[in-house]
């Protein structure tokens, strides 16, 4: 009978090798496993890390694979998983040394993404970064990259997108709705009212009537 040839690693060869290994394992017993100098099964090889530091590294790497994280976010994750403080501190500091954790870079990228993607102003961006544990000095530098002109330009773009949807409402309601949208994105009240007023004036609204609604007690 002609014997079928299998490529290395094929299913037949794998099953045959596994059977031979099981037979040999039964003969050797405990002494054979000790002489092998390593784990006796793939389960042992793929088991959880043995030391707190190994566990901490594995957790951090897994979290960083999805998205960048701040040191505080990773620190909180390690604490929730019961990693001792000393082990967590050692691993986090090492990750900072090699650049895997960089709160300044995180803050810069966050500001860039959230301002251009969601139109958030400096105040809202700073608030979000604080919730992620970024240091105040780092936040100040990151949001400081947005100057007042850029912030006002973005505010006007946001208002222009919403103008058509607000048509048909009375003047005061339009102004308050548009200004409220900007306020929720972190724009100061004065800037929000000014930008909305200018946009409505360009649509033909009476500047004097708009001014009445822009007074502080309105």
């Amino acid at each position: 009978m002609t014997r079928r040839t299998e490529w290395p690693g094929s299913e037949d060869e794998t099953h045959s090798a596994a059977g031979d290994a099981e037979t040999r394992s039964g003969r050797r017993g405990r002494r054979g496993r000790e002489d092998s100098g390593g784990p006796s099964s793939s389960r042992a090889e793929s088991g959880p890390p043995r030391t707190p530091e190994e566990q901490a590294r594995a957790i951090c790497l897994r979290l960083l694979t999805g998205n960048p994280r701040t040191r505080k976010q990773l620190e909180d994750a390690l604490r929730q998983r019961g990693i001792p403080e000393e082990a967590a501190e050692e691993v986090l500091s090492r990750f900072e040394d090699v650049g895997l954790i960089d709160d300044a870079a995180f803050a810069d990228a966050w500001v860039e993404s959230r301002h251009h993607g969601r139109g958030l102003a400096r105040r809202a961006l700073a608030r979000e970064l604080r919730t992620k544990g970024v240091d105040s000095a780092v936040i100040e530098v990151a949001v400081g990259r947005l100057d007042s002109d850029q912030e006002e330009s973005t505010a006007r773009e946001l208002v222009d997108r919403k103008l058509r949807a607000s048509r048909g409402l009375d003047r005061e309601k339009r102004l308050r709705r548009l200004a409220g949208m900007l306020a929720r994105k972190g724009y100061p009240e004065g800037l929000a009212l000014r930008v909305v007023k200018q946009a409505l004036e360009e649509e033909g609204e009476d500047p004097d009537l708009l001014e009445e609604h822009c007074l502080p007690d309105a």
Side-chain angles (χ1 to χ4, degrees):
M1 178 182 296
T2 302
R3 183 175 181 180
R4 184 161 57 99
T5 302
E6 298 289 348
W7 290 103
S10 67
E11 184 176 359
D12 289 352
E13 183 177 348
T14 300
H15 289 168
S16 175
D20 293 343
E22 185 175 357
T23 301
R24 291 194 300 272
S25 176
R27 290 198 303 265
R28 289 199 307 266
R30 182 182 301 273
R31 186 183 63 185
R33 287 194 297 272
E34 291 175 352
D35 292 342
S36 67
S40 60
S41 70
S42 60
R43 179 177 299 177
E45 294 175 356
S46 61
R50 290 168 295 178
T51 69
E53 289 78 11
E54 288 173 333
Q55 294 180 40
R57 282 194 293 272
I59 292 168
C60 289
L61 288 173
R62 184 170 65 249
L63 292 174
L64 289 169
T65 297
N67 291 296
R69 311 272 178 159
T70 65
R71 178 175 176 129
K72 181 64 163 57
Q73 287 177 305
L74 294 173
E75 182 180 301
D76 290 343
L78 295 179
R79 184 182 304 110
Q80 291 169 4
R81 289 162 173 78
I83 302 298
E85 184 177 348
E86 296 81 2
E89 177 68 23
E90 178 182 335
V91 171
L92 293 173
S93 295
R94 176 58 180 162
F95 273 41
E96 279 187 326
D97 290 342
V98 300
L100 290 174
I101 301 175
D102 188 337
D103 281 4
F106 177 96
D108 288 344
W110 187 268
V111 168
E112 178 74 14
S113 173
R114 300 286 283 176
H115 178 72
H116 293 289
R118 298 289 301 279
L120 299 187
R122 287 174 289 188
R123 185 166 59 187
L125 292 166
R127 182 169 60 248
E128 289 186 341
L129 289 171
R130 280 195 296 271
T131 66
K132 297 182 180 302
V134 179
D135 183 77
S136 296
V138 174
I139 293 174
E140 185 176 354
V141 172
V143 300
R145 301 182 189 281
L146 287 177
D147 59 29
S148 299
D149 290 340
Q150 176 63 54
E151 200 170 50
E152 183 165 345
S153 174
T154 302
R156 179 56 195 265
E157 291 174 5
L158 292 170
V159 170
D160 288 344
R161 294 176 197 168
K162 300 290 185 180
L163 272 177
R164 179 175 296 182
S166 71
R167 289 172 186 163
L169 301 176
D170 65 65
R171 181 186 304 108
E172 181 177 359
K173 186 170 291 186
R174 289 187 82 191
L175 191 151
R176 289 186 179 277
R177 178 169 294 186
L178 292 168
M181 178 270 294
L182 292 179
R184 288 190 295 275
K185 291 182 178 291
Y187 291 88
E189 181 182 11
L191 170 62
L193 290 173
R194 183 173 71 252
V195 169
V196 173
K197 177 175 175 289
Q198 290 171 351
L200 294 177
E201 283 181 10
E202 292 173 8
E203 275 202 341
E205 292 284 359
D206 188 329
D208 293 334
L209 294 176
L210 288 172
E211 191 65 33
E212 292 177 6
H213 298 306
C214 288
L215 293 175
D217 59 351

